[in-house]
Amino acid sequence: MSQTEAVRSPGGVIVQEGGTGKQAPAPSQPSAKYEDRVKSQKRKDLWNAIWRGSVLPVSILVIWQLLGTFELVSETILPTPVAIVQAFWELLVSGELLGHLEISLWRAAVGFAVGGTLGLLFGLAAGLFRGVEQSVDPSIQMLRTVPHLAVTPLFILWFGFGEFSKILLIAKGAFFPLYVQTFLGIRSVDSKLFDVARVLEFSRLQQVTKLVLPAALPNILLGLRLSIGVAWLGLVVAELMGSSEGVGYLILDARQFSQTAVVFVGIVIFATVGKGSDSLVRLLEKRLLKWRDSYKG
């Protein structure tokens, strides 16, 4: 009777039956056709998402244009999309639009950088240290409920109509969402993970960099998205309260001369740039949170 012996080798498993060696095939790799099907399905899903997302806005634009074409709504009250595009092109060609947009982007970037950085640092400190939480969190939560418009006159009295007051107002709006979400993300970390960290003899810095921040990252990125949105809101308030440059000033100036199409141009610019910045953060989320297996609907 022949003996059967299995020997594992780098190429697979060799089965010897009666002195004859037979090599079983190694596990097969995904075929090129399978990879092509996966890529094709991803492209199909992307186009389906673009198509579904464009149905509603395109329908609104068509109905909007028809209302203006048949003069069912006054152009002074609601200019047609074609008139808005014409106003946009005129402002773009003259260079006026790019000048105002550059000033607004600079204000929003500086204000968000100041407020977001402080919000992240204070959120980390309050989340990691109970003493810091007890000292600063009650005051921050109280200030968080104060609306932008309520503090705008105070900022004007203290700092005037200069750039400092505008940047400070934007920073105020960007501070609180990032602070709250960072604090919440840290306090949502499972306490058992800290027990594991103590067993592994992690230092305090290792606990923060290898445990706390990765676990709190979803909340921090959510706070980043919210902070960007509120920063744009603060920019609008700051430029409307008294400015001679910026997209907000462009809207205010157009309102005084009943140039409704220009007002819509400013609104569309704010919406487009805000959506673009939010999409960048969402792309960052997809890259940094690949490990998260969440429900996608």
Side-chain angles (χ1 to χ4, degrees):
M1 182 180 296
S2 62
Q3 295 180 350
T4 302
E5 182 181 0
V7 180
R8 185 175 297 277
S9 66
V13 177
I14 297 177
V15 181
Q16 296 179 345
E17 295 180 353
T20 304
K22 296 181 180 180
Q23 182 173 348
S28 60
Q29 298 295 328
S31 62
K33 292 184 179 180
Y34 174 76
E35 293 180 353
D36 292 339
R37 285 198 301 268
V38 171
K39 292 180 180 179
S40 176
Q41 184 63 37
K42 288 183 178 180
R43 287 194 296 267
K44 184 179 179 181
D45 292 341
L46 177 61
W47 283 112
N48 286 336
I50 294 174
W51 177 81
R52 290 171 182 170
S54 61
V55 169
L56 180 60
V58 170
S59 301
I60 293 175
L61 289 176
V62 171
I63 296 173
W64 185 353
Q65 182 65 40
L66 291 176
L67 290 175
T69 301
F70 292 104
E71 298 182 354
L72 299 176
V73 181
S74 172
E75 188 172 346
T76 304
I77 298 176
L78 187 66
T80 62
V82 173
I84 295 172
V85 172
Q86 291 175 348
F88 170 81
W89 180 251
E90 292 174 359
L91 291 171
L92 185 64
V93 171
S94 65
E96 183 180 0
L97 181 60
L98 293 179
H100 289 301
L101 181 59
E102 182 180 358
I103 294 295
S104 294
L105 289 175
W106 179 82
R107 288 169 178 163
V110 175
F112 171 75
V114 174
T117 301
L118 291 176
L120 179 63
L121 294 177
F122 273 85
L124 288 172
L128 292 173
F129 305 102
R130 184 176 297 273
V132 177
E133 176 196 359
Q134 295 172 347
S135 299
V136 304
D137 188 68
S139 300
I140 290 178
Q141 295 298 337
M142 181 178 64
L143 293 174
R144 185 172 65 89
T145 60
V146 179
H148 268 45
L149 294 177
V151 300
T152 299
L154 191 61
F155 281 11
I156 294 175
L157 289 173
W158 284 352
F159 310 110
F161 290 97
E163 294 297 320
F164 184 74
S165 61
K166 296 178 178 61
I167 291 174
L168 192 62
L169 191 63
I170 298 169
K172 172 191 173 295
F175 174 86
F176 295 107
L178 201 48
Y179 166 81
V180 171
Q181 291 297 327
T182 302
F183 175 81
L184 179 63
I186 292 174
R187 291 303 174 90
S188 300
V189 178
D190 192 346
S191 59
K192 295 180 181 178
L193 296 178
F194 288 94
D195 297 334
V196 175
R198 280 191 289 269
V199 172
L200 296 176
E201 298 181 350
F202 277 9
S203 64
R204 188 64 175 177
L205 180 60
Q206 288 177 320
Q207 288 183 6
V208 173
T209 56
K210 295 183 179 181
L211 172 62
V212 175
L213 289 180
L217 192 58
N219 287 86
I220 294 175
L221 293 174
L222 174 60
L224 184 63
R225 291 179 62 186
L226 297 175
S227 291
I228 291 176
V230 180
W232 281 110
L233 177 61
L235 174 66
V236 176
V237 175
E239 291 184 341
L240 290 179
M241 77 179 185
S243 178
S244 59
E245 294 176 302
V247 179
Y249 166 76
L250 181 68
I251 293 175
L252 185 63
D253 185 64
R255 180 188 64 83
Q256 293 176 349
F257 292 97
S258 298
Q259 297 175 335
T260 314
V262 178
V263 174
F264 272 97
V265 170
I267 294 173
V268 171
I269 288 174
F270 276 128
T272 303
V273 177
K275 172 58 179 173
S277 58
D278 183 77
S279 298
L280 289 177
V281 179
R282 294 190 65 179
L283 180 63
L284 186 64
E285 284 183 346
K286 290 182 180 181
R287 292 184 177 275
L288 296 179
L289 301 179
K290 289 182 178 180
W291 51 267
R292 189 172 61 171
D293 187 16
S294 57
Y295 177 67
K296 295 180 176 60

CSV table of all heavy atoms in Angstrom, one decimal, residues 79-116:
chain,number,residue,atom,x,y,z
A,79,PRO,N,-33.9,87.4,-12.0
A,79,PRO,CA,-33.3,87.3,-13.3
A,79,PRO,C,-33.1,85.8,-13.8
A,79,PRO,O,-32.9,84.9,-13.0
A,79,PRO,CB,-31.9,88.0,-13.2
A,79,PRO,CG,-31.6,87.9,-11.7
A,79,PRO,CD,-32.9,87.9,-11.0
A,80,THR,N,-33.1,85.6,-15.1
A,80,THR,CA,-33.0,84.3,-15.6
A,80,THR,C,-31.5,83.8,-15.5
A,80,THR,O,-30.6,84.6,-15.3
A,80,THR,CB,-33.4,84.3,-17.1
A,80,THR,OG1,-32.5,85.1,-17.8
A,80,THR,CG2,-34.8,84.8,-17.3
A,81,PRO,N,-31.3,82.5,-15.5
A,81,PRO,CA,-30.0,82.0,-15.5
A,81,PRO,C,-29.1,82.5,-16.6
A,81,PRO,O,-27.9,82.7,-16.4
A,81,PRO,CB,-30.2,80.4,-15.6
A,81,PRO,CG,-31.5,80.2,-15.1
A,81,PRO,CD,-32.3,81.4,-15.4
A,82,VAL,N,-29.6,82.8,-17.8
A,82,VAL,CA,-28.9,83.3,-18.9
A,82,VAL,C,-28.4,84.7,-18.5
A,82,VAL,O,-27.2,85.1,-18.8
A,82,VAL,CB,-29.7,83.4,-20.2
A,82,VAL,CG1,-28.9,84.1,-21.3
A,82,VAL,CG2,-30.0,81.9,-20.6
A,83,ALA,N,-29.2,85.5,-17.9
A,83,ALA,CA,-28.8,86.9,-17.5
A,83,ALA,C,-27.8,86.8,-16.4
A,83,ALA,O,-26.8,87.7,-16.4
A,83,ALA,CB,-30.1,87.7,-17.0
A,84,ILE,N,-27.8,85.9,-15.5
A,84,ILE,CA,-26.8,85.7,-14.5
A,84,ILE,C,-25.5,85.3,-15.1
A,84,ILE,O,-24.4,85.9,-14.7
A,84,ILE,CB,-27.3,84.7,-13.4
A,84,ILE,CG1,-28.6,85.2,-12.7
A,84,ILE,CG2,-26.2,84.4,-12.4
A,84,ILE,CD1,-29.2,84.2,-11.8
A,85,VAL,N,-25.5,84.5,-16.0
A,85,VAL,CA,-24.3,84.1,-16.7
A,85,VAL,C,-23.7,85.2,-17.5
A,85,VAL,O,-22.4,85.4,-17.5
A,85,VAL,CB,-24.5,82.9,-17.7
A,85,VAL,CG1,-23.3,82.6,-18.5
A,85,VAL,CG2,-24.9,81.6,-16.9
A,86,GLN,N,-24.5,86.0,-18.1
A,86,GLN,CA,-24.0,87.2,-18.8
A,86,GLN,C,-23.3,88.2,-17.8
A,86,GLN,O,-22.3,88.8,-18.1
A,86,GLN,CB,-25.1,87.9,-19.5
A,86,GLN,CG,-25.6,87.1,-20.7
A,86,GLN,CD,-26.8,87.8,-21.4
A,86,GLN,OE1,-27.5,88.7,-20.8
A,86,GLN,NE2,-27.2,87.3,-22.6
A,87,ALA,N,-24.0,88.4,-16.6
A,87,ALA,CA,-23.4,89.3,-15.6
A,87,ALA,C,-22.1,88.7,-15.1
A,87,ALA,O,-21.1,89.5,-14.9
A,87,ALA,CB,-24.4,89.5,-14.5
A,88,PHE,N,-22.0,87.4,-14.9
A,88,PHE,CA,-20.8,86.8,-14.5
A,88,PHE,C,-19.7,87.0,-15.5
A,88,PHE,O,-18.5,87.3,-15.1
A,88,PHE,CB,-21.1,85.3,-14.3
A,88,PHE,CG,-19.8,84.5,-14.0
A,88,PHE,CD1,-19.2,84.4,-12.8
A,88,PHE,CD2,-19.2,83.8,-15.0
A,88,PHE,CE1,-18.1,83.7,-12.5
A,88,PHE,CE2,-18.1,83.0,-14.8
A,88,PHE,CZ,-17.5,83.0,-13.6
A,89,TRP,N,-20.0,86.8,-16.8
A,89,TRP,CA,-19.0,87.0,-17.8
A,89,TRP,C,-18.5,88.4,-17.9
A,89,TRP,O,-17.3,88.7,-18.0
A,89,TRP,CB,-19.6,86.6,-19.1
A,89,TRP,CG,-18.6,86.7,-20.3
A,89,TRP,CD1,-18.6,87.6,-21.3
A,89,TRP,CD2,-17.4,85.9,-20.5
A,89,TRP,NE1,-17.5,87.4,-22.1
A,89,TRP,CE2,-16.8,86.3,-21.7
A,89,TRP,CE3,-16.9,84.8,-19.8
A,89,TRP,CZ2,-15.6,85.8,-22.2
A,89,TRP,CZ3,-15.7,84.2,-20.3
A,89,TRP,CH2,-15.1,84.7,-21.5
A,90,GLU,N,-19.4,89.4,-17.7
A,90,GLU,CA,-18.9,90.8,-17.8
A,90,GLU,C,-18.0,91.1,-16.6
A,90,GLU,O,-17.0,91.8,-16.8
A,90,GLU,CB,-20.2,91.7,-17.7
A,90,GLU,CG,-21.0,91.6,-19.0
A,90,GLU,CD,-22.3,92.4,-18.9
A,90,GLU,OE1,-22.5,93.0,-17.8
A,90,GLU,OE2,-23.1,92.4,-19.9
A,91,LEU,N,-18.4,90.6,-15.4
A,91,LEU,CA,-17.5,90.9,-14.2
A,91,LEU,C,-16.2,90.2,-14.4
A,91,LEU,O,-15.1,90.7,-13.9
A,91,LEU,CB,-18.2,90.4,-13.0
A,91,LEU,CG,-19.4,91.2,-12.5
A,91,LEU,CD1,-20.2,90.5,-11.4
A,91,LEU,CD2,-19.0,92.6,-12.1
A,92,LEU,N,-16.2,89.0,-15.0
A,92,LEU,CA,-14.9,88.2,-15.2
A,92,LEU,C,-14.0,88.9,-16.2
A,92,LEU,O,-12.8,89.0,-15.9
A,92,LEU,CB,-15.3,86.8,-15.6
A,92,LEU,CG,-14.1,85.8,-15.7
A,92,LEU,CD1,-13.5,85.6,-14.4
A,92,LEU,CD2,-14.6,84.5,-16.3
A,93,VAL,N,-14.6,89.4,-17.3
A,93,VAL,CA,-13.8,90.0,-18.3
A,93,VAL,C,-13.2,91.3,-17.8
A,93,VAL,O,-12.0,91.6,-18.1
A,93,VAL,CB,-14.6,90.2,-19.6
A,93,VAL,CG1,-13.9,91.1,-20.6
A,93,VAL,CG2,-15.0,88.9,-20.2
A,94,SER,N,-13.9,92.0,-17.0
A,94,SER,CA,-13.5,93.3,-16.5
A,94,SER,C,-12.4,93.2,-15.4
A,94,SER,O,-11.7,94.1,-15.1
A,94,SER,CB,-14.6,94.1,-15.9
A,94,SER,OG,-15.2,93.5,-14.8
A,95,GLY,N,-12.3,92.0,-14.8
A,95,GLY,CA,-11.3,91.7,-13.8
A,95,GLY,C,-11.8,92.1,-12.4
A,95,GLY,O,-11.1,91.8,-11.4
A,96,GLU,N,-13.0,92.6,-12.3
A,96,GLU,CA,-13.5,93.0,-11.0
A,96,GLU,C,-13.8,91.8,-10.2
A,96,GLU,O,-13.6,91.8,-9.0
A,96,GLU,CB,-14.8,93.9,-11.3
A,96,GLU,CG,-15.4,94.4,-10.0
A,96,GLU,CD,-16.7,95.2,-10.3
A,96,GLU,OE1,-17.1,95.3,-11.5
A,96,GLU,OE2,-17.3,95.7,-9.3
A,97,LEU,N,-14.4,90.8,-10.8
A,97,LEU,CA,-14.8,89.6,-10.0
A,97,LEU,C,-13.6,88.9,-9.4
A,97,LEU,O,-13.6,88.6,-8.2
A,97,LEU,CB,-15.5,88.6,-10.9
A,97,LEU,CG,-16.0,87.3,-10.3
A,97,LEU,CD1,-17.0,87.6,-9.1
A,97,LEU,CD2,-16.6,86.4,-11.3
A,98,LEU,N,-12.5,88.7,-10.1
A,98,LEU,CA,-11.3,88.1,-9.6
A,98,LEU,C,-10.7,88.9,-8.5
A,98,LEU,O,-10.1,88.3,-7.5
A,98,LEU,CB,-10.3,87.8,-10.8
A,98,LEU,CG,-10.7,86.8,-11.9
A,98,LEU,CD1,-9.6,86.7,-12.9
A,98,LEU,CD2,-11.0,85.5,-11.2
A,99,GLY,N,-10.7,90.2,-8.6
A,99,GLY,CA,-10.1,91.0,-7.5
A,99,GLY,C,-10.9,90.8,-6.2
A,99,GLY,O,-10.3,90.7,-5.2
A,100,HIS,N,-12.2,90.9,-6.3
A,100,HIS,CA,-13.0,90.7,-5.1
A,100,HIS,C,-12.9,89.3,-4.5
A,100,HIS,O,-12.8,89.1,-3.3
A,100,HIS,CB,-14.5,91.0,-5.4
A,100,HIS,CG,-14.8,92.4,-5.6
A,100,HIS,ND1,-14.6,93.4,-4.7
A,100,HIS,CD2,-15.3,93.1,-6.7
A,100,HIS,CE1,-15.0,94.6,-5.2
A,100,HIS,NE2,-15.4,94.4,-6.4
A,101,LEU,N,-12.8,88.3,-5.4
A,101,LEU,CA,-12.7,86.9,-5.0
A,101,LEU,C,-11.4,86.6,-4.3
A,101,LEU,O,-11.3,85.9,-3.3
A,101,LEU,CB,-12.9,85.9,-6.2
A,101,LEU,CG,-12.8,84.4,-5.9
A,101,LEU,CD1,-13.9,84.0,-4.9
A,101,LEU,CD2,-12.9,83.7,-7.2
A,102,GLU,N,-10.3,87.2,-4.8
A,102,GLU,CA,-9.0,87.0,-4.2
A,102,GLU,C,-9.0,87.6,-2.8
A,102,GLU,O,-8.5,86.9,-1.8
A,102,GLU,CB,-8.0,87.8,-5.0
A,102,GLU,CG,-6.5,87.6,-4.5
A,102,GLU,CD,-5.5,88.3,-5.3
A,102,GLU,OE1,-5.9,88.9,-6.4
A,102,GLU,OE2,-4.3,88.3,-5.0
A,103,ILE,N,-9.6,88.7,-2.5
A,103,ILE,CA,-9.7,89.3,-1.2
A,103,ILE,C,-10.5,88.4,-0.3
A,103,ILE,O,-10.1,88.2,0.9
A,103,ILE,CB,-10.3,90.7,-1.2
A,103,ILE,CG1,-9.4,91.7,-2.0
A,103,ILE,CG2,-10.5,91.3,0.2
A,103,ILE,CD1,-8.0,91.9,-1.3
A,104,SER,N,-11.6,87.9,-0.7
A,104,SER,CA,-12.5,87.1,0.1
A,104,SER,C,-11.8,85.8,0.4
A,104,SER,O,-11.9,85.3,1.6
A,104,SER,CB,-13.8,86.8,-0.6
A,104,SER,OG,-14.6,88.0,-0.8
A,105,LEU,N,-11.1,85.2,-0.5
A,105,LEU,CA,-10.4,83.9,-0.2
A,105,LEU,C,-9.3,84.1,0.8
A,105,LEU,O,-9.1,83.3,1.7
A,105,LEU,CB,-9.8,83.3,-1.5
A,105,LEU,CG,-10.8,82.8,-2.5
A,105,LEU,CD1,-10.1,82.3,-3.8
A,105,LEU,CD2,-11.6,81.6,-1.9
A,106,TRP,N,-8.6,85.2,0.7
A,106,TRP,CA,-7.5,85.5,1.7
A,106,TRP,C,-8.1,85.7,3.1
A,106,TRP,O,-7.6,85.1,4.0
A,106,TRP,CB,-6.8,86.8,1.2
A,106,TRP,CG,-5.7,87.1,2.2
A,106,TRP,CD1,-4.4,86.6,2.2
A,106,TRP,CD2,-5.8,88.1,3.3
A,106,TRP,NE1,-3.7,87.2,3.3
A,106,TRP,CE2,-4.5,88.1,3.9
A,106,TRP,CE3,-6.8,88.9,3.7
A,106,TRP,CZ2,-4.2,88.9,5.0
A,106,TRP,CZ3,-6.5,89.7,4.8
A,106,TRP,CH2,-5.2,89.7,5.4
A,107,ARG,N,-9.2,86.4,3.2
A,107,ARG,CA,-9.8,86.6,4.5
A,107,ARG,C,-10.3,85.3,5.1
A,107,ARG,O,-10.1,85.0,6.3
A,107,ARG,CB,-11.0,87.6,4.4
A,107,ARG,CG,-10.6,89.0,4.1
A,107,ARG,CD,-11.8,89.9,3.8
A,107,ARG,NE,-11.5,91.3,3.6
A,107,ARG,CZ,-12.2,92.2,3.0
A,107,ARG,NH1,-13.4,91.8,2.5
A,107,ARG,NH2,-11.9,93.4,2.8
A,108,ALA,N,-11.0,84.5,4.2
A,108,ALA,CA,-11.5,83.2,4.7
A,108,ALA,C,-10.4,82.3,5.1
A,108,ALA,O,-10.5,81.6,6.2
A,108,ALA,CB,-12.4,82.6,3.6
A,109,ALA,N,-9.3,82.2,4.4
A,109,ALA,CA,-8.2,81.3,4.7
A,109,ALA,C,-7.5,81.7,6.0
A,109,ALA,O,-7.2,80.8,6.8
A,109,ALA,CB,-7.2,81.3,3.5
A,110,VAL,N,-7.2,83.0,6.1
A,110,VAL,CA,-6.5,83.5,7.4
A,110,VAL,C,-7.4,83.3,8.6
A,110,VAL,O,-7.0,82.7,9.6
A,110,VAL,CB,-6.1,84.9,7.2
A,110,VAL,CG1,-5.5,85.4,8.6
A,110,VAL,CG2,-5.1,85.1,6.1
A,111,GLY,N,-8.7,83.6,8.5
A,111,GLY,CA,-9.6,83.5,9.6
A,111,GLY,C,-9.8,82.0,10.0
A,111,GLY,O,-9.8,81.7,11.2
A,112,PHE,N,-10.0,81.2,9.0
A,112,PHE,CA,-10.1,79.7,9.2
A,112,PHE,C,-8.9,79.2,9.9
A,112,PHE,O,-9.0,78.3,10.8
A,112,PHE,CB,-10.5,79.0,8.0
A,112,PHE,CG,-10.5,77.5,8.2
A,112,PHE,CD1,-11.5,76.9,8.8
A,112,PHE,CD2,-9.5,76.7,7.7
A,112,PHE,CE1,-11.5,75.5,9.0
A,112,PHE,CE2,-9.4,75.4,7.8
A,112,PHE,CZ,-10.5,74.7,8.5
A,113,ALA,N,-7.7,79.5,9.4
A,113,ALA,CA,-6.5,79.0,9.9
A,113,ALA,C,-6.3,79.4,11.4
A,113,ALA,O,-5.9,78.5,12.2
A,113,ALA,CB,-5.3,79.6,9.1
A,114,VAL,N,-6.7,80.6,11.7
A,114,VAL,CA,-6.5,81.0,13.1
A,114,VAL,C,-7.6,80.3,14.0
A,114,VAL,O,-7.2,79.7,15.0
A,114,VAL,CB,-6.7,82.6,13.2
A,114,VAL,CG1,-6.7,83.0,14.7
A,114,VAL,CG2,-5.5,83.3,12.5
A,115,GLY,N,-8.8,80.4,13.6
A,115,GLY,CA,-9.9,79.9,14.4
A,115,GLY,C,-9.8,78.3,14.5
A,115,GLY,O,-10.0,77.7,15.5
A,116,GLY,N,-9.6,77.7,13.3
A,116,GLY,CA,-9.6,76.2,13.3
A,116,GLY,C,-8.4,75.7,14.1
A,116,GLY,O,-8.5,74.7,14.8
